[in-house]
Amino acid sequence: MMHASLYRPGNSVLHRLPAGLKLSVLLAAGGCSILVRTPTQTTTALGCVLLGYVVARVPARAVLQSLRPLLWVILALGLFQALIMGWPRAFVIVGVIVALVLLANLVTLTTRTNDLVDVVVRLSRRVRLLGMRPESIGLMLSLAIRAVPLVAELAARVREAQQARGHTISPRAFAVPLILGALRRADEIGDALAARGYDD
Amino acid sequence: MLIDINDVSHRYPGRAKPVVDDLSVRLDERRIAVIGANGSGKSTFARMLNGLVIPSVGSVKIDGLHTSRHGSQIRKKVGFCFTDPDSQIVMPTVAEDVAFGLRRRGWSKAEIAARVHDQLSSYGLDRHAEHAAHLLSGGQKQLLALASILVTEPELLIMDEPTTLLDLRNTRMVADLVSGLPQQVVMVTHDLDLLADFDRVLVFEQTRLVHDGPPAEAVAFYRALMGVDA
């Protein structure tokens, strides 16, 4: 099973850019997104992001994978906006969201987790004043990224178990084992962290 | 390292029955195995050795250090390998997981990268360095888990059923790797074929240590206990 939003090794210009710069561009893009008003601007923004994928030599499959979880939300939002505000406005809103998701995905695809975590730790230095450790925030971020494929695998296993027993789709029968499994996995990872000396 | 367990019993909160009962044993052999039926107390015993479980009664000392008071100090000397490597791999990519244990050593990035590269090369995982850990095969994941623990050079390695989820080839690979380690090893296992080279085997049954001896004798005792012919 392949998951989006994980580092893909490479040697492109984007791979070699400092993680801090890439995160700054992402942040700036998020801030500037409210300035995008026309379909032409939206198309330009989407084009720039897709050009980034070409430069980073990321296959089109990865682009689609990063959008798959959002597909229904995008469709529903697009349809709603089209009915209320018209198709041009719907295109702008959906296009900006898609561009930002793709840009965020491009940053994680071209940046090692450790480099991202180092930037977050550097930016979090001030939390020491509150008695917190920036390293803990970095660790939290790494664990969250690591948890994505683990929870996805767990969900797939629960779904398979349901199908094997002939159950039809039942949110409760899906959610209960998924939550219990995720909690058990969290416990195990807590033990592993303690065993590897991260217990203080 | 001398493992000194004195009058230990342990009961998990909210449970009426103990999971380990009245255990006293001193261990200093290089290769020690622990066998027993499911629920016999083997895993709890293993977890006591690096302070992941602190016994309700009695004391566990590793080289004279109490696990109840010196947990962090002990865990720097004692590595722990879990049954399921997915529970143990805490970083998203292979190289990052090996680097994880080294990050608190105050080494430079270049030093850590060089050490990680050496470690991955010696475990045949160097070409997977930048790969997502969850994409590795079961055997490769267990190798990665071991590489990540051993990169910090612990003096004692505790392994809780490290081959249970592996196929025969990967089980052999892990067994060969363990037999070549310079570290003292305590391995909890259901795989009786792994025990031939061990110095001492403990047999647990219903929370108690019921036999302690060399492999052949312990395996014969265990088979008789389980009602299984050799």
Side-chain angles (χ1 to χ4, degrees), chain B residues 89-161:
Chain B
I89 297 167
V90 293
M91 298 302 279
T93 69
V94 172
E96 286 166 349
D97 196 67
V98 177
F100 179 73
L102 301 171
R103 279 184 6 202
R104 285 189 162 186
R105 294 198 162 186
W107 292 6
S108 71
K109 273 190 171 183
E111 283 172 318
I112 292 178
R115 184 75 190 86
V116 167
H117 179 262
D118 288 349
Q119 186 74 351
L120 289 177
S121 299
S122 56
Y123 284 79
L125 291 170
D126 43 334
R127 66 193 176 90
H128 300 291
E130 303 289 3
H131 292 176
H134 71 274
L135 296 178
L136 297 179
S137 69
Q140 287 171 328
K141 280 184 189 173
Q142 196 57 283
L143 266 187
L144 170 60
L146 275 170
S148 297
I149 300 160
L150 293 170
V151 74
T152 59
E153 297 172 334
E155 293 171 44
L156 166 62
L157 177 64
I158 317 286
M159 309 179 86
D160 186 6
E161 298 183 35

Side-chain angles (χ1 to χ4, degrees), chain A residues 33-130:
Chain A
S33 63
I34 53 168
L35 303 176
V36 177
R37 300 253 173 230
T38 66
T40 312
Q41 290 169 337
T42 309
T43 309
T44 309
L46 278 168
C48 287
V49 174
L50 290 174
L51 184 66
Y53 276 83
V54 174
V55 171
R57 295 189 197 96
V58 176
R61 193 161 45 96
V63 181
L64 297 173
Q65 267 171 350
S66 62
L67 290 178
R68 195 181 296 158
L70 279 180
L71 190 66
W72 293 110
V73 178
I74 289 170
L75 284 176
L77 183 68
L79 198 65
F80 179 75
Q81 289 294 335
L83 290 173
I84 304 291
M85 316 272 279
W87 284 107
R89 187 67 194 142
F91 177 73
V92 170
I93 290 172
V94 169
V96 165
I97 291 171
V98 168
L100 285 175
V101 168
L102 288 178
L103 185 61
N105 195 46
L106 184 60
V107 170
T108 47
L109 285 170
T110 58
T111 316
R112 286 186 176 85
T113 318
N114 272 350
D115 295 337
L116 283 174
V117 169
D118 285 346
V119 173
V120 172
V121 169
R122 270 205 307 277
L123 293 174
S124 320
R125 271 185 200 144
R126 299 244 170 212
V127 299
R128 277 193 202 281
L129 299 172
L130 302 171

Side-chain angles (χ1 to χ4, degrees), chain B residues 158-184:
Chain B
I158 317 286
M159 309 179 86
D160 186 6
E161 298 183 35
T163 59
T164 298
L165 302 177
L166 303 182
D167 61 22
L168 193 56
R169 185 182 295 134
N170 285 315
T171 297
R172 208 57 262 165
M173 182 182 68
V174 169
D176 290 345
L177 197 150
V178 170
S179 72
L181 290 176
Q183 277 90 355
Q184 186 182 10

Side-chain angles (χ1 to χ4, degrees), chain B residues 31-67:
Chain B
R31 293 287 181 269
I32 301 150
V34 182
I35 57 177
N38 294 331
S40 58
K42 307 181 302 294
S43 291
T44 304
F45 167 75
R47 282 162 182 259
M48 283 179 183
L49 302 184
N50 74 339
L52 281 178
V53 170
I54 304 296
S56 327
V57 179
S59 67
V60 177
K61 284 191 278 183
I62 308 293
D63 259 0
L65 295 172
H66 278 268
T67 54

